Amino acid sequence: GSLVAAVLAHSGRLDKEDLGSRVRRLSRRCPCPQGEVCNMINKKYSEFLPSMQSAEELVAQVDGLSSNIDLLRGDIENKVQRDLNVAVAEFTELKQQLERDTLVLSVLKKLQEFDRAIKEHKTALREKKYIAAAQQLEKARSSLRNLESRKGFELKILRALGTELTVQTQNMLCHLGEEWQKLIVWQLPPSKESSLEAVVLSELRLHTVPSKEEEVAGPPVVSVLQALAVLGELHTRLKAFGQLLLKYILKPLISYPSLQPLTEEQPDMFILRFKSEEPTLDQSSPMEVFDKIKLIFEALHKYLLNVPLEQPGENRKDGRVTLAELLGELIWEELSNCLVQNCLVNSIPTNSSKLEQYAEVIKSTEEFEKALKNMQFLKGDTTDLLKYARNVNSHFASKKCQDVIAAARKLMTSEIHNTVKITPDSCVALPQLPDPGSGDRLKKQKPSNLVHNGTVNLENETKLSQYTFSLPTCRISSSVEQLMELVYQTLLEASVSTDQCCVQLFYSVRRIFQLFYEVVPTYHKESLQKFPQLAAIHHNNCMYLAHHLLTLGHQFRYCTANILSNEAASFVDLVPAFRRLGMECFKAQMRVQKGEILERLSSARNFSNMDDEENFRAANKAIRQVLHQLKRLGQVWQDVFPVNVYCKAMGTLLNTAMAEIVTRIVALEDISAEDADRLYSLCRIMVEEGPQVFTPLSEEDKNKKYQEEVPIYVQKWMTFKELMIILQANLQEIVDQWADGKGPLAAEFSAAEVKSLIRALFQNTERRAAALAKIK
């Protein structure tokens, strides 16, 4: 009941009096004995009433606060919000105005800085304070760059300022250029070529640096150079000076041994001139060249290059650098290359025995580089020149190989027809080779001839001729003989050289033979095809080289480096190629000669109808032409080919002619008696005059032996002789020569060929039939 009352009271449906009256009415109606419930209600009511009063007070306060909040919200929405928006807009506008004002102020400051820098520059330039003037120009350029870098802020005045800056810069460069020309005066020859005559007319004048105490009208050299460095023009000026220095002073001193520098010192000027003297040698020694160049740099260092400049850069802690260092960076690479190519290369020894003397060159190079480093022309780690000088062994080997190859190529491209005679007694002037050593395991011991325990020594005591393995007598090109001498000299040089040099020289020798294989047949191709004598000489050249290649490596086996001593230094693998090269050229010439023989015999009208005078004259002319060709070849090849090669070659060509004649006569179907007589006379010309083409030796009396041995070299000789017998024999003689297939005729002709000849020579009679029956 109290809870309900509290709720009702809170909700406003009951006030305090109504609630109390209702409670009393309920207590009168309450059926409980002695009014216990009513007492409990009164007790609860008295406890609840203060709480309710507190709640009502709180409710009233809340309602008041709510009303105040509503009033404040209305004020904010109506007044404060509007005022706040206005304030924000005003703040943004003020901020933008501040930024514009700040930007304008900074631009005005930069413009003021630019204007002040230009004014101070002009003042300094009038007073010839070039360093200050250059620095003010750089300040003005920095201010202009700053103005140009502001995006969205463009002024038409910036273009005018840029033009003004360019004008002032060029004006100052013009002044500095005039001062540079006063400082360094070149007197160059009218010709732009750097010949000896032109260089002698060259002259360089340097105005000396004045002392600090001495007052001079012009600015000191330091001021000019430092101003050029500030403006970034020093590199260009110094590069141009360096190129003139190289072209007209340094390189000529390296190239011309007769050129000598002359120096003259005046109170305010240094003069460098040249004079030409008669040189003692074709090339200057490195020591002389180094002394001349050192003299030039010492003078330049004293009067020009010993100037410290403020030029920050990489690896420069204090930002200071001398003019000598800058010039060295610009020209040292080109100068060192010139010294190497035109001086040190020429000083490399051509003989290993002179390598020890090269130590003087190395020492001189060290002193030269040290002097340049002391003058700060070179950095401490620059040793290109010295590295080249110290690597003399490698350069010696390379130069030696180049010289050897060049000399060999010159010999290969020289004329082939200049010949020398080679005999079995001939030999290359082989130098004395070192003894392979007593401890060599391959050293042979002389076998003992003593008989032990009654045994018999069965060794054959017959010795081979000393010429068994010699090259037969022939003619070779003198250039090839010189080539082999060059080869032996090179291998001897290799035998006393360092291992690296030895290997390089060995392979250079192999390269010589490879070049011969490639160059000679190509370079002399037309001559080898056209001239039989040159083809024969080339054949001999190849066989001569192959002969030496067989033992060349073995001769130097124990004298070369260890890397080549174990059977590696061999040339035997080249032997087949050289033999093939000579044979191919010779075979090609033989094919040409065979073709000419067959072409001449083709005009003999197949040796048919020899009773016709015109046909006989044609056949006779063809045979005469063949013999003339063979005689001409015999004279061309005489004393050139070895005798056995000569006889085989001439025998092969004569055999070709005889075989062709035999083939054409055997093919005839009808041979009259007159035809047979004339054919016999033609064949007799071949038999009588054919051996006369065999003249391998220049001494006529010694050729008779080889003319008698013609049947050995002409395969068809006996066939030809048997054909002549048939042309003059009767049937019975032919049958006797056949001898049932066992006679000399059967050895040269087949049964079909003999029958064909019988049918052509004899009429069809019983005797001919009987003879034919016996040929089988």
Side-chain angles (χ1 to χ4, degrees):
S2 61
L3 181 60
V4 174
V7 173
L8 291 175
H10 180 71
S11 62
R13 295 176 60 185
L14 289 176
D15 54 12
K16 294 184 292 182
E17 291 79 6
D18 291 341
L19 181 59
S21 61
R22 287 193 179 190
V23 170
R24 285 191 294 270
R25 285 195 302 268
L26 285 173
S27 64
R28 289 194 297 267
R29 296 177 184 176
C30 181
C32 61
Q34 300 177 358
E36 295 179 1
V37 175
C38 295
N39 293 330
M40 183 181 62
I41 291 175
N42 287 328
K43 183 179 180 181
K44 293 294 184 182
Y45 173 75
S46 60
E47 293 176 358
F48 170 74
L49 188 57
S51 299
M52 182 179 174
Q53 291 175 349
S54 299
E56 288 178 349
E57 292 175 359
L58 289 174
V59 169
Q61 292 177 4
V62 169
D63 290 341
L65 288 173
S66 178
S67 299
N68 291 335
I69 290 173
D70 291 338
L71 291 174
L72 289 174
R73 182 183 293 113
D75 291 340
I76 291 173
E77 290 176 353
N78 295 329
K79 296 181 179 181
V80 177
Q81 185 68 39
R82 184 174 61 253
D83 295 341
L84 183 61
N85 292 337
V86 172
V88 170
E90 291 178 354
F91 175 78
T92 302
E93 184 178 355
L94 291 173
K95 183 180 179 182
Q96 292 175 351
Q97 183 64 35
L98 178 61
E99 290 176 351
R100 286 195 298 271
D101 293 344
T102 303
L103 179 59
V104 171
L105 181 60
S106 64
V107 168
L108 291 175
K109 286 183 178 180
K110 292 299 178 182
L111 290 174
Q112 185 183 19
E113 291 176 3
F114 181 89
D115 182 66
R116 187 186 300 114
I118 292 296
K119 289 180 179 179
E120 292 179 0
H121 158 74
K122 291 180 179 179
T123 302
L125 187 60
R126 283 194 300 268
E127 298 174 357
K128 293 189 176 182
K129 297 179 180 179
Y130 290 130
I131 297 178
Q135 290 173 345
Q136 293 302 322
L137 272 183
E138 287 303 305
K139 286 182 180 180
R141 183 173 288 105
S142 176
S143 300
L144 185 59
R145 287 200 195 102
N146 187 279
L147 290 172
E148 291 174 344
S149 66
R150 298 178 183 275
K151 297 181 180 179
F153 190 88
E154 298 179 357
L155 292 175
K156 294 182 180 179
I157 195 175
L158 294 182
R159 182 176 298 176
L161 295 179
T163 303
E164 176 66 15
L165 180 62
T166 302
V167 170
Q168 295 300 326
T169 302
Q170 294 303 319
N171 181 41
M172 183 172 182
L173 289 177
C174 182
H175 282 78
L176 292 176
E178 293 176 357
E179 297 295 343
W180 178 271
Q181 291 178 357
K182 293 177 183 178
L183 177 66
I184 302 173
V185 181
W186 284 97
Q187 181 179 334
L188 300 178
S191 174
K192 293 183 178 180
E193 298 180 358
S194 58
S195 61
L196 179 60
E197 294 76 12
V199 172
V200 172
L201 300 177
S202 304
E203 183 177 295
L204 174 62
R205 294 171 177 261
L206 298 178
H207 285 271
T208 57
V209 180
S211 61
K212 295 182 179 180
E213 295 79 16
E214 182 182 1
E215 293 184 1
V216 293
V221 63
V222 178
S223 177
V224 176
L225 296 176
Q226 185 64 60
L228 287 171
V230 172
L231 294 178
E233 279 291 313
L234 182 60
H235 183 275
T236 302
R237 300 279 181 176
L238 203 57
K239 184 177 182 181
F241 172 75
Q243 292 303 314
L244 291 174
L245 189 67
L246 283 171
K247 184 176 181 180
Y248 292 102
I249 295 181
L250 299 179
K251 287 185 176 180
L253 287 175
I254 299 172
S255 303
Y256 304 118
S258 61
L259 197 64
Q260 298 293 332
L262 296 176
T263 59
E264 179 182 350
E265 296 184 12
Q266 296 182 1
D268 61 343
M269 186 179 299
F270 168 78
I271 302 175
L272 175 63
R273 298 188 181 94
F274 297 97
K275 68 175 181 178
S276 180
E277 297 179 349
E278 188 67 26
T280 56
L281 299 173
D282 294 337
Q283 297 173 345
S284 298
S285 66
M287 289 72 76
E288 295 175 349
V289 173
F290 292 157
D291 289 340
K292 294 177 184 179
I293 295 178
K294 197 189 306 181
L295 175 64
I296 301 299
F297 278 112
E298 286 174 350
L300 291 176
H301 185 265
K302 180 178 180 181
Y303 297 112
L304 177 65
L305 301 181
N306 190 24
V307 177
L309 302 173
E310 296 286 344
Q311 189 170 4
E314 295 181 1
N315 301 326
R316 298 189 180 109
K317 296 181 180 180
D318 56 355
R320 297 180 66 84
V321 61
T322 63
L323 199 63
E325 186 176 347
L326 294 178
L327 183 63
E329 293 176 354
L330 291 173
I331 70 171
W332 172 246
E333 183 178 358
E334 188 173 353
L335 177 60
S336 61
N337 289 337
C338 184
L339 284 169
V340 169
Q341 298 299 326
N342 298 307
C343 182
L344 289 183
V345 167
N346 299 329
S347 68
I348 299 295
T350 56
N351 194 303
S352 58
S353 60
K354 298 180 180 179
L355 282 175
E356 295 181 358
Q357 303 175 6
Y358 198 77
E360 184 180 356
V361 176
I362 298 175
K363 182 180 179 181
S364 178
T365 307
E366 290 177 346
E367 294 175 351
F368 175 69
E369 283 200 352
K370 184 178 180 181
L372 295 185
K373 290 175 183 178
N374 291 337
M375 290 183 283
Q376 296 183 324
F377 184 80
L378 290 183
K379 295 180 181 179
D381 56 349
T382 304
T383 57
D384 295 343
L385 211 61
L386 189 56
K387 286 180 180 177
Y388 185 91
R390 286 175 175 172
N391 199 17
V392 61
N393 288 326
S394 176
H395 299 316
F396 163 73
S398 299
K399 182 179 180 181
K400 184 69 178 180
C401 293
Q402 292 174 2
D403 293 345
V404 167
I405 294 297
R409 187 181 289 274
K410 184 177 180 180
L411 291 172
M412 294 174 196
T413 54
S414 61
E415 295 297 335
I416 298 178
H417 59 78
N418 296 325
T419 62
V420 293
K421 193 169 186 178
I422 298 297
T423 65
D425 295 323
S426 302
C427 63
V428 176
L430 185 65
Q432 185 67 33
L433 298 178
D435 185 11
S438 58
D440 189 83
R441 60 184 178 85
L442 295 178
K443 188 175 181 180
K444 295 183 178 180
Q445 298 179 355
K446 185 178 179 180
S448 174
N449 291 327
L450 298 177
V451 178
H452 299 284
N453 301 327
T455 57
V456 180
N457 186 3
L458 299 178
E459 181 182 359
N460 189 356
E461 294 294 337
T462 303
K463 302 297 182 182
L464 293 174
S465 169
Q466 60 175 335
Y467 303 127
T468 300
F469 297 106
S470 299
L471 197 69
T473 301
C474 63
R475 283 194 171 271
I476 64 171
S477 301
S478 58
S479 60
V480 172
E481 184 182 44
Q482 296 171 17
L483 185 68
M484 279 309 305
E485 291 177 356
L486 176 65
V487 166
Y488 276 103
Q489 292 171 3
T490 305
L491 288 176
L492 180 63
E493 188 80 35
S495 66
V496 296
S497 301
T498 61
D499 287 357
Q500 178 186 0
C501 183
C502 176
V503 173
Q504 286 184 256
L505 290 175
F506 169 77
Y507 283 105
S508 293
V509 171
R510 285 189 64 91
R511 182 58 180 156
I512 288 175
F513 292 111
Q514 292 168 356
L515 277 177
F516 185 95
Y517 188 87
E518 297 167 0
V519 170
V520 173
T522 304
Y523 186 84
H524 301 284
K525 181 179 180 180
E526 185 176 351
S527 299
L528 295 178
Q529 293 174 348
K530 187 175 180 180
F531 301 107
Q533 185 185 34
L534 297 187
I537 294 173
H538 177 65
H539 167 273
N540 294 346
N541 290 342
C542 294
M543 296 304 168
Y544 176 78
L545 293 176
H547 178 75
H548 281 277
L549 286 171
L550 284 169
T551 58
L552 188 61
H554 180 76
Q555 294 175 54
F556 289 90
R557 177 178 175 184
Y558 300 104
C559 310
T560 55
N562 292 332
I563 191 173
L564 299 176
S565 61
N566 297 326
E567 302 181 1
S570 174
F571 299 89
V572 177
D573 58 306
L574 301 177
V575 172
F578 272 83
R579 288 177 175 172
R580 184 169 57 251
L581 180 65
M583 288 303 299
E584 286 176 354
C585 177
F586 178 51
K587 287 180 179 179
Q589 187 60 230
M590 289 292 288
R591 286 192 292 269
V592 171
Q593 298 301 325
K594 285 183 178 180
E596 292 181 3
I597 289 174
L598 296 177
E599 183 179 357
R600 288 185 170 93
L601 290 177
S602 66
S603 63
R605 302 183 181 182
N606 293 327
F607 295 94
S608 62
N609 301 323
M610 288 293 101
D611 53 350
D612 185 343
E613 194 64 30
E614 186 177 350
N615 288 353
F616 178 72
R617 283 199 300 269
N620 186 63
K621 181 180 178 181
I623 288 178
R624 292 293 180 184
Q625 287 179 340
V626 169
L627 289 173
H628 176 73
Q629 175 186 345
L630 293 176
K631 287 180 181 179
R632 179 174 57 84
L633 273 178
Q635 294 174 354
V636 167
W637 288 343
Q638 185 183 73
D639 204 35
V640 175
F641 272 130
V643 172
N644 61 327
V645 177
Y646 176 95
C647 293
K648 288 180 181 179
M650 296 302 298
T652 300
L653 294 177
L654 183 59
N655 184 74
T656 298
M658 288 185 166
E660 182 67 13
I661 294 173
V662 170
T663 301
R664 292 180 181 273
I665 293 177
V666 170
L668 295 176
E669 296 180 355
D670 184 20
I671 303 175
S672 65
E674 187 177 356
D675 290 345
D677 291 339
R678 290 194 166 184
L679 288 173
Y680 178 82
S681 64
L682 294 175
C683 292
R684 185 173 61 190
I685 293 174
M686 289 293 296
V687 171
E688 290 176 355
E689 299 185 15
Q692 296 178 12
V693 303
F694 284 75
T695 56
L697 303 177
S698 56
E699 299 86 354
E700 291 296 332
D701 55 336
K702 295 182 179 180
N703 290 326
K704 186 175 181 181
K705 170 187 175 183
Y706 304 105
Q707 293 171 358
E708 294 173 351
E709 295 176 351
V710 166
I712 300 175
Y713 303 107
V714 182
Q715 185 179 1
K716 293 292 183 179
W717 182 267
M718 296 308 299
T719 303
F720 201 80
K721 297 279 286 186
E722 289 297 324
L723 176 63
M724 292 176 64
I725 292 174
I726 292 175
L727 291 174
Q728 292 294 301
N730 54 37
L731 284 172
Q732 185 58 44
E733 290 173 345
I734 294 174
V735 172
D736 293 341
Q737 285 289 106
W738 181 259
D740 295 331
K742 299 178 181 179
L745 183 59
E748 305 299 333
F749 288 98
S750 65
E753 290 173 335
V754 175
K755 289 181 179 180
S756 176
L757 284 170
I758 291 175
R759 292 189 182 99
L761 287 167
F762 300 97
Q763 295 181 355
N764 188 7
T765 61
E766 293 182 357
R767 291 183 60 195
R768 192 185 80 170
L772 290 173
K774 294 179 180 179
I775 306 298
K776 56 183 177 180

